[in-house]
Amino acid sequence: MFVGHKKFFPAIWFCFHGLILSAFLVSLLISPKISFGTSLFEILPPSSSLHEVQKADNALGSKTGRAVTILAKADSFEKAKLAAEKLYSNYLDEEGRVNPDFFDSLTLYVDSSTIAEITKWLHENRFALIDEESRKLLVADGASEIADQALSSVYGAFSISELANLEEDPFLLSERNLHKLLDGGAASSTNMSLRDEVLFCEKDGDFYVLLRGRVSEKGSALASKKNTVKNIYDVMAGILRQAQNDGGLGSGGLDFIFSGVPFHSYESSSSAQAQISVISTVSLVLIVIVFLYIFRSIVPALVSALAVAFSCGIGFLSVLLFFRGIHVLTFVFGTTLIGTCLDYSIHYFVNWKANPDCDSGDTVRKHIFRGISLGFASTEICFAALFFAPFPLLKQVSVFLFTGLAAAYLSVVALYPMLKIPEKRDLSILNWGSRLGDVSTKRFWGIPNALVRALPLLLLILSLIVIVTNYRSLKIQNNIQELYSMSKKMLQNEITSARVLNTGASGWYFIVKADSEEKLLQKNEELSEFLDSAIDDKKLGSYLSLVQFIPSEKVQKESYLAAKNLLPLVKMQYDALGFGESGSGDGFSQSKTSGVNESAGESDAVKKTGDFVSQYEKNYRSLEKSFVHPTDSNLPSTIRDAIENLWIGEIDGAFYSCVMPLHAESEEELFFREYADSHEGIFFVNKVKDISSQLDILSKTMLKMLVFAFVIVIAILCFCYRPLLVLKIAFVPFLVTLVTAAVLLLCRIHLSFFPITALVLVFGLGLDYIIYAVEAGESKKEKKSQKLTSFAIFLSFLTTALSFGALAISTFPPVHFLGLTVFVGLLSAVIGAFCVTRT
């Protein structure tokens, strides 16, 4: 099969591939961790144009992006709770802890131990965590009112806290704090109520029991066998089957409602990967069939497939080498390599099979070298332009395509000439080429040349008419909501979850920044005052803030000093509660404080009132410098979970937190944004709008880079062709741009990031077509060569349309936009290439 060949080109091929492979292997020894991105949200640019909060926003996104909400639904509370318990138990290990392979945290029960933990914490910090209303009462000489309210609560029929701490807290400060905590933002932001140690809600005759969790990093990886979302779906299916089979739960109305980014990421990525796999497989099979039919030999198909595999492999390793990870959409963009690699292969094998003037691999290479080299250079320039975009995904795509294309080019010029020339040539290829490439004829596939030459002008006029009549829609506009279309089931889940929980999330929030933890909390308090006034003005329903749970030290000190006003009332309060000289009072101490005294080891000895007063004052003084902080390790688990998404923490020497407005009207966004803009250290973030704005900027940058790359290519071609030919070459990208823009307008697709990125790829591939066509037109003394080159261009377009344009049928919006743009662009490019070069 192989014949003699020069050693220079193969040596370059082996050096290029060996260098990348060895560099990658060495990098694994230095940094073995490799990541594979699958979530749509991972490829989006930072949501804020302010660099100082980008890292904080990313850190917040890493937390909220793994949060999930699950609602077990049934026609009775008991069935819903049982279903929730079955699901919950699947993620507990033998010791009853949450399995870290799937979840960082998962909560179902809010039992007495949870309340006791919070109560204990509030009691230990009762003087520092006095709520604002109580603090104002104390400052305004309202201490007696607090004392009377405590007595009413103690002697009343119901008290939500245990009275075991009454001896140390006769004014029930911890109970007041607990009331505020439960009735504040955290509790009032949902419709859920506590029953049988779980949170539930009844809506339209159905009962919903709530599970909340945070997916682990390992469980959020779609490539992992222990992907949490997939596992949840499997567990859910088992529970529903069991309900139908044994009737233990009853099948009537039993269901699970899922909400959260992990579920959407799984749905979008899984759908995209499945569609891409099917489309790519079918496309490759069709391409192989076309190769076998055209060349009547398995050699071109097999060698081309190996070249594509090597190219994609080198592109893949290069991305991992430079970025230590790769995103699934890089593969989508990378499928361009299939078409490009096949372009080079087709040009080689058409001459290899049907050109009688090529009697060896070296002569085939010599015959096509100028054309594919110029095409290679122009395409590489376009791919390289992607690297300078301030966007990690495009940098990955640039490296993948740039190195992969280099591998494909080297395979054709270095290894293909080693193939033995077939003894029998195929005249059928020449016959096809006669219809396409014989410019001396007066007709093109039966169409008069005059009409053929007018076709690009006709397309240009029609495109301009569409653009002019729809000029209002012709603008760079990105909307990330258009990049993901929820399934009917997922959409219904989100609607049901929002209706049941009534969290009122607005989709935007504040990020607060300060140079210390204390200043950060104080800024949160300032923002909370503003939000409280917005609530009074009916501009906001509620909000979640860190200081609703843990105020600043400044406020804690004020609370401690305000509590001093209770000291003169201590003796009177103990007497009223029955902690008197005899150890028994108005009946309360006999029935309720006896347990307290016994637990203190004083069943046989009676304290005097003075002893209680003295101990209270001692406790008060001992807690003077006892303050609570968000980073305390002894925070109750419930409080820690509540502030998890609010406390971002320290990043590069600065401290950050998040404040989330709830039940806000969209038309009030400007009101809140203006407040943030006028206050240092407070940043308003609307992720949807901000990311869309960043994509708008990025899209404009892409267009500028595209123009820059085009100018460079044309400048290079000026040294290779006559001015008239350069103008013909320049006309084709101009035609491609207008036709593509017109088709996007007709399809009601905005000129956004993905179509523009696809246009960059089309520029690289489309320039190849016109350069090959020009090369064919220049070879007027070689009619056979001219015909073969033209046929190779047509076959290149056909295979690229199959391999890449087929992605246009995908229902995943980014892939659909990409495939449609590439197909339309390449179709107009091949039409332009054939038509403008006709004599």
Side-chain angles (χ1 to χ4, degrees), residues 664-783:
E665 299 296 332
S666 57
E667 59 267 19
E668 301 294 346
E669 178 183 331
L670 182 61
F671 171 74
F672 295 103
R673 189 182 288 273
E674 288 177 346
Y675 174 85
D677 292 342
S678 61
H679 288 75
E680 183 180 358
I682 298 178
F683 305 91
F684 182 89
V685 180
N686 184 330
K687 203 137 191 169
V688 172
K689 285 189 177 180
D690 290 353
I691 292 178
S692 298
S693 298
Q694 292 298 303
L695 285 174
D696 287 346
I697 296 172
L698 186 58
S699 299
K700 294 174 182 177
T701 302
M702 291 288 297
L703 285 178
K704 293 177 182 177
M705 289 191 296
L706 181 61
V707 173
F708 180 70
F710 175 68
V711 170
I712 293 178
V713 170
I714 296 301
I716 294 174
L717 294 178
C718 285
F719 291 97
C720 303
Y721 300 111
R722 301 186 308 275
L724 180 60
L725 285 178
V726 174
L727 285 176
K728 288 183 176 181
I729 293 173
F731 173 78
V732 172
F734 179 68
L735 175 68
V736 167
T737 302
L738 291 181
V739 172
T740 303
V743 171
L744 292 175
L745 283 172
L746 291 175
C747 295
R748 301 185 182 278
I749 296 175
H750 296 300
L751 195 59
S752 56
F753 167 73
F754 283 97
I756 290 175
T757 303
L759 201 57
V760 175
L761 304 179
V762 169
F763 259 65
L765 296 173
L767 280 170
D768 286 358
Y769 294 159
I770 184 61
I771 289 174
Y772 297 148
V774 167
E775 284 290 304
E778 289 288 277
S779 304
K780 294 184 178 180
K781 294 181 180 180
E782 302 178 19
K783 295 291 181 66

Side-chain angles (χ1 to χ4, degrees), residues 496-509:
T496 302
S497 179
R499 184 169 56 89
V500 171
L501 295 176
N502 191 35
T503 54
S506 57
W508 41 263
Y509 49 88

